[in-house]
Amino acid sequence: MSTAYFSHPDCRRHDMGAGHPECPQRLDAIEDWLLASGLDIGLERIEAPPARLEDLELAHSVSYVAELKYALEQLQASGESRAMDPDTFAGPHTWKAALRAAGAAVAATDLVLDGGAENAFCGVRPPGHHATRSETMGFCFFNNVAIAARHALDVRGLKRVAVVDFDVHHGNGTEDILAGDERALMVSIFQHPLYPYSGGVPMGTNMVNVPIPPYTKGGEVREMIEAMWLPALERFKPEMIFVSAGFDAHRDDELGQLGLVEADYAWITQRIMDVARRHAKGRIVSCLEGGYSLPALARSVGVHLQVLSGTAA
Ligand SMILES: [Zn+2]
């Protein structure tokens, strides 16, 4: 078994300003933990290629891609920064980072489908799951996971893929893009109510949305996953699974009020792997979304990778 780890130095250069929680140091914290824990040794490191415009257009409108390209390339040329929404800022390095983040997800999909690794994790930023078909929001520019899922379906010819989203925030962008596309099943948990205040009513029959009240702990979250996600995934029999891996439902994370800990992330990852082994030849591509307590983020990504790579104690 092998696990590939995709990233790129450009992902670190995207900077939304002092004090912003979605900061470059998130990737540093993960890197430090991989080295300190020895996990690094078991991972195959791969530098993410940039996504091509036609990759982005698998999940986004042609006009959105063209307009964002124009706006972000202007910032790259001028060295200036600007607000894209009240929480989301673009600067001179954002265009390249966004291309590498989406490119990582696409390249990881190809690698896993071609048998070069059993599964892959994309340690990238900006994250993607709030980016809708035509809107930048919630720290997200391109929807990395939705682009990769559509690449698996439209370019690589798979018939069924699943998206699993365990970020504390509802993956409204992924739902916007994939709702009604019966080749995809999306299962998610998210604190509700919480930004972006969507998800309470699913947008399609291929959406399994599990809203969770604030202050819920891991044991109850596991019960909801067992009751809601696992039967739907078993029925759907995905040929590949994409994970929106946000770690902001951790009890130490201040952007949410859920109570997950590392053992819960290990358990969730194992359940995803069980489904993937039964139906999808083990094929999983997981992409970093949220997670803003740096120590909790690093430890949680660590256990996620331990389980994915089969090195869990
Ligand atoms: Zn989040």
Side-chain angles (χ1 to χ4, degrees), residues 129-130 167-169 248 290 292:
H129 77 152
H130 295 307
D167 191 279
V168 80
H169 302 99
D248 40 11
Y292 305 101

Side-chain angles (χ1 to χ4, degrees), residues 73-310:
E73 282 185 338
Q74 282 215 316
L75 299 177
Q76 186 175 288
S78 69
E80 290 169 358
S81 296
R82 62 173 265 206
M84 310 296 289
D85 88 350
D87 310 310
T88 311
F89 301 87
H93 303 291
T94 301
W95 175 241
K96 283 188 175 173
L99 289 184
R100 296 285 179 182
V106 172
T109 302
D110 282 334
L111 183 77
V112 169
L113 281 173
D114 292 337
E118 180 175 9
N119 54 47
F121 181 76
C122 301
V124 294
R125 47 186 295 281
H129 77 152
H130 295 307
T132 71
R133 189 171 153 72
S134 56
E135 197 178 5
T136 302
M137 64 180 276
F139 318 162
C140 301
F141 295 82
F142 294 120
N143 195 313
N144 309 317
V145 161
I147 289 165
R150 278 278 170 75
H151 176 76
L153 293 166
D154 293 349
V155 179
R156 299 300 305 260
L158 294 193
K159 297 194 166 47
R160 291 179 311 283
V161 302
V163 173
V164 174
D165 187 329
F166 56 76
D167 191 279
V168 80
H169 302 99
H170 174 233
N172 64 298
T174 316
E175 179 171 50
D176 175 67
I177 292 162
L178 294 179
D181 183 344
E182 300 294 335
R183 303 168 302 167
L185 172 73
M186 180 178 181
V187 301
S188 65
I189 53 164
F190 50 91
Q191 182 180 321
H192 193 68
L194 183 67
Y195 180 89
Y197 305 100
S198 51
V201 180
M203 289 171 66
T205 53
N206 62 327
M207 295 287 141
V208 177
N209 296 4
V210 183
I212 297 181
Y215 308 108
T216 305
K217 293 202 173 74
E220 290 165 77
V221 172
R222 294 189 198 193
E223 284 174 18
M224 288 188 251
I225 285 173
E226 277 190 324
M228 304 292 292
W229 284 10
L230 298 182
L233 288 166
E234 284 299 325
R235 276 195 303 275
F236 187 71
K237 298 182 174 49
E239 296 172 293
M240 187 162 188
I241 301 180
F242 295 87
V243 183
S244 269
F247 298 93
D248 40 11
H250 195 285
R251 76 175 171 202
D252 292 350
D253 200 294
E254 294 183 355
L255 268 69
Q257 287 80 41
L258 294 188
L260 299 195
V261 295
E262 287 81 338
D264 298 309
Y265 289 117
W267 183 90
I268 294 171
T269 308
Q270 189 62 58
R271 298 289 81 71
I272 298 168
M273 285 186 75
D274 293 344
V275 175
R277 290 244 167 89
R278 274 199 290 280
H279 301 293
K281 302 179 185 167
R283 297 185 290 215
I284 297 170
V285 169
S286 177
C287 297
L288 181 65
E289 301 282 2
Y292 305 101
S293 158
L294 299 186
L297 169 66
R299 296 192 309 266
S300 301
V301 170
V303 299
H304 183 57
L305 282 167
Q306 270 181 335
V307 176
L308 283 176
S309 63

